[in-house]
Amino acid sequence: MTGVPASAAGGSSGATSATSATSATNAKSATDAKGTQGAMGAQSVARASGAPGVPDGAWPVRGGKLGAAAVNQASLWNIANILTMVRLVLVPGFVVLMLMDGGYDPAWRAWAWAAFAVAMITDIFDGHLARTYDLVTDFGKIADPIADKAIMGAALICLSSLGDLPWWVTGVILGRELGITLLRFIVIRYGVIPASRGGKLKTLAQGTAVGMYVLMLEGPLATLRWWVMAVAVVLTVVTGLDYVRQAIVLRRRGIAEREAATEGAER
C-alpha cells in the first residue's frame, strides 16, 4: 500500500504555508516599493514642474503639514510696497515743482498737481493690493502711513508758506493726523482702531481740496475750493474726535478684560 506518512503530509502543508507567507510578504514589499516609487515620482514631477509651495526637503507626508519653509511670505519688493516707495520719492519732487519760480508759475503748479495726484492715486491702490493679494509686510505697515502724511504735509506747508492757505488750516489738519497716529501707538496694546468710513471721506475731501489749491484756480472754482476745504476741515475735526472716543472705549475694554483675567487666575 502506497501512502504518505503523516509527518510528510504535515511537512508538505507547512512548506505550502511558508511558501504562501513568503509570496504575501514579497507582494506587500512590491506594493510598498511601487507606492514609494510613485510618491517619489510624483514628488520629482512636481519639483520639475515648479509646483508652488514645494521646496526641496519640505515635501509633505501623508497626514503631515508643510514646514515653515513652505509657507509663502510676501516679498519686500511687491507691487504694493513699490507704489509706497514711489509715493515717498514723489514728496521731494512735488516740493521742488511747487516752489519753482517763486511758487506762482501756473505751469509748474500744474506739474506739481500731477505729482500730487499720482501720490494720492497710489495711496488708494497700494493698500487695496496689499490686502487683496496678501502682500502686507512690516515695511508697508510703517512706510505707508509715513508716505501718506508726508505728501499731505508737504502740500499744506507749501501752500501756507506761499500764502494760499491759512496756517491755522494746516495746523488743524497736521495736528489731527499726528495726534491720531500717536494715539494709535498708545492704545496698540489694547487693540487696533479700525479705519472708519468717515476717515476715508476725510482723506478724499482733503486730497480734493489740497489738489484744487495746488492748481491756481480763479473765479467760481476758487470759491468752490474754499468750500471743499471747509468740508475737509470739518471732517478732519469730527473724525479725529471719533478716533479719540474709540481709543478711550478700547482702552477701558482692554483694562477690564485684563482685570477679569487676573481675577480668574487668582481663583
Side-chain angles (χ1 to χ4, degrees):
M1 178 177 180
T2 303
V4 180
S7 59
S12 177
S13 61
T16 303
S17 300
T19 303
S20 300
T22 303
S23 300
T25 302
N26 292 338
K28 184 178 183 301
S29 300
T31 302
D32 292 343
K34 289 181 180 179
T36 302
Q37 291 174 358
M40 293 177 64
Q43 180 177 351
S44 301
V45 170
R47 287 176 176 170
S49 60
V54 188
D56 290 340
W59 187 264
V61 296
R62 181 173 297 179
K65 295 182 180 179
L66 283 174
V71 178
N72 260 338
Q73 297 293 336
S75 170
L76 175 65
W77 295 100
N78 61 62
I79 184 62
N81 285 346
I82 290 174
L83 290 177
T84 300
M85 294 175 195
V86 168
R87 194 156 71 257
L88 286 169
V89 171
L90 282 173
V91 174
F94 166 80
V95 173
V96 170
L97 293 171
M98 271 291 291
L99 301 179
M100 286 292 291
D101 289 342
Y104 295 103
D105 187 317
W108 287 114
R109 292 282 285 265
W111 281 108
W113 176 86
F116 181 81
V118 170
M120 290 294 100
I121 292 172
T122 58
D123 179 28
I124 295 172
F125 282 103
D126 63 355
H128 174 73
L129 290 171
R131 290 186 297 270
T132 302
Y133 297 102
D134 195 20
L135 301 176
V136 178
T137 62
D138 291 337
F139 171 81
K141 292 177 183 178
I142 297 173
D144 184 68
I146 292 176
D148 298 344
K149 291 168 180 56
I151 189 66
M152 183 61 67
L156 290 168
I157 292 172
C158 285
L159 289 171
S160 293
S161 65
L162 293 172
D164 292 343
L165 189 67
W167 275 106
W168 69 266
V169 174
T170 296
V172 168
I173 294 177
L174 292 185
R176 185 266 190 199
E177 297 301 329
L178 295 176
I180 295 302
T181 301
L182 180 61
L183 187 63
R184 286 178 182 272
F185 280 111
I186 292 175
V187 300
I188 191 70
R189 69 182 71 178
Y190 305 109
V192 177
I193 304 176
S196 63
R197 182 175 300 179
K200 295 178 181 178
L201 289 175
K202 177 268 305 179
T203 302
L204 177 62
Q206 284 183 359
T208 304
V210 170
M212 294 179 73
Y213 269 88
V214 170
L215 289 173
M216 300 185 69
L217 302 177
E218 298 178 355
L221 290 177
T223 303
L224 177 62
R225 73 181 182 181
W226 187 90
W227 285 106
V228 176
M229 181 59 76
V231 171
V233 171
V234 170
L235 288 174
T236 297
V237 174
V238 171
T239 56
L241 294 175
D242 183 61
Y243 275 120
V244 172
R245 179 192 63 79
Q246 291 186 57
I248 293 173
V249 172
L250 187 64
R251 181 176 180 275
R252 288 177 178 174
R253 184 184 304 162
I255 292 175
E257 290 176 354
R258 287 187 179 183
E259 291 178 350
T262 302
E263 292 177 0
E266 291 177 351
R267 292 176 184 176

